[in-house]
Amino acid sequence: MLIVGELINTSRKALKAAVEERHAEYIQDMACKQVEAGAHYVDVNCGTMIHNEAAIMSWLVENIRAAVTAPLCIDTPNPKAMEAGLALAQQGQPMVNSITAEKERFQIFLPLVLKYKAKVIALCMDDRGMPETAADRKDIVRRLVTDLTASGVPEDDIYLDPLVKPISTGDRAGLEVLETIYYIRNEFPGVHTICGLSNISYGLPHRKVLNQAFMIQTMTAGMDAYILDPLDKTMMGFVYASQALLGQDPFCGQYLAAYRQGLYG
Ligand code: THG
């Protein structure tokens, strides 16, 4: 299981304010807290800062890497911001978040993935836009896996993201993702699957419970990585419990170790 901490994202009001004030300690503290809570990667997203995204990405990455040794997940559709982040994120194997099957985006981001030997999140999206059904996603998944592996990206570095849409916008949003995970597990067992979990709950009250339920459902379907809020201790408890219950934690070792470290409960 790979956990990417989602909290350094300027779509979050408090984080945006800290970035605008260049409050480095706030950002560093947020990075440390997520890693201490069990995150393996720290996501870095300043996509709302459209006028100087690349410069802000550089500032964020420099400060975060001084605070934690965990590798970083550079989260932007902007090629300049992606390169700026990757150039500085030299600790462990960085993660590119994300490439898509959109022709131009694929051509621009692929060289960066190869240059930095990065893990890559491949979003199920192409020039036709956001997919609705699992059938739409399957076609895109096949193209992404074929094109990435043919270009020399190891299967183990590929994280397919089915693209989670809010359940408030359509009753089948969860089901279509589950069906996509089953498909990927069967057809491409060597690649990973990841999602932005908190997307599922946009627009509804008490979001945490929807995020937690969807984590368990998707993990049961075979998802093996998440972008989530690692400071939600109930969520982290469900992650360790699910791993053990799905036969992915020999002798409940991680469940026990996380309990002893106070990571849930
Ligand atoms: N796939 C991939 N990357 C992603 C996503 C994805 N990166 C961004 C996002 N989706 C995952 N990260 C977040 C971060 C925050 C929130 C949701 C997903 C969130 N923020 C509150 C909101 O916007 O309402 C902020 C509230 C506040 O102000 O604090 O929910 O799907 N590959």
Side-chain angles (χ1 to χ4, degrees), residues 96-235:
V96 167
N97 185 9
S98 51
I99 203 164
T100 68
E102 295 162 293
K103 276 219 162 55
E104 205 185 314
R105 173 120 164 227
F106 191 89
Q107 281 168 9
I108 294 173
F109 278 68
L110 176 65
L112 296 175
V113 173
L114 295 172
K115 176 176 173 186
Y116 291 97
K117 297 185 169 52
K119 290 183 185 291
V120 59
I121 298 179
L123 273 188
C124 289
M125 193 177 147
D126 66 8
D127 290 302
R128 292 171 299 186
M130 302 259 286
E132 276 292 326
T133 64
D136 298 337
R137 288 174 168 89
K138 289 175 188 175
D139 172 50
I140 302 173
V141 161
R142 185 169 287 282
R143 270 185 285 143
L144 280 167
V145 176
T146 307
D147 293 350
L148 285 169
T149 52
S151 310
V153 180
E155 277 196 330
D156 190 43
D157 285 343
I158 300 173
Y159 289 74
L160 288 169
D161 183 335
L163 225 158
V164 171
K165 292 185 177 177
I167 193 66
S168 58
T169 66
D171 296 343
R172 294 189 52 87
L175 286 175
E176 302 292 355
V177 168
L178 293 176
E179 195 182 324
T180 308
I181 302 167
Y182 294 132
Y183 171 78
I184 296 169
R185 284 279 70 85
N186 283 323
E187 297 290 318
F188 306 104
V191 307
H192 300 278
T193 45
I194 192 166
C195 71
L197 195 57
S198 313
N199 300 358
I200 197 71
S201 61
Y202 272 123
L204 287 167
H206 204 73
R207 293 180 61 179
K208 282 183 179 179
V209 77
L210 284 162
N211 298 344
Q212 290 156 3
F214 198 50
M215 189 283 297
I216 296 170
Q217 293 178 328
T218 49
M219 195 161 158
T220 306
M223 189 157 272
D224 68 351
Y226 292 95
I227 303 166
L228 54 69
D229 172 6
L231 304 190
D232 177 351
K233 283 198 169 194
T234 306
M235 174 71 83

Side-chain angles (χ1 to χ4, degrees), residues 51-73:
H51 297 299
N52 49 355
E53 190 183 343
I56 292 175
M57 180 63 82
S58 299
W59 179 82
L60 280 168
V61 169
E62 273 185 291
N63 281 290
I64 297 165
R65 75 168 185 194
V68 297
T69 57
L72 307 185
C73 175

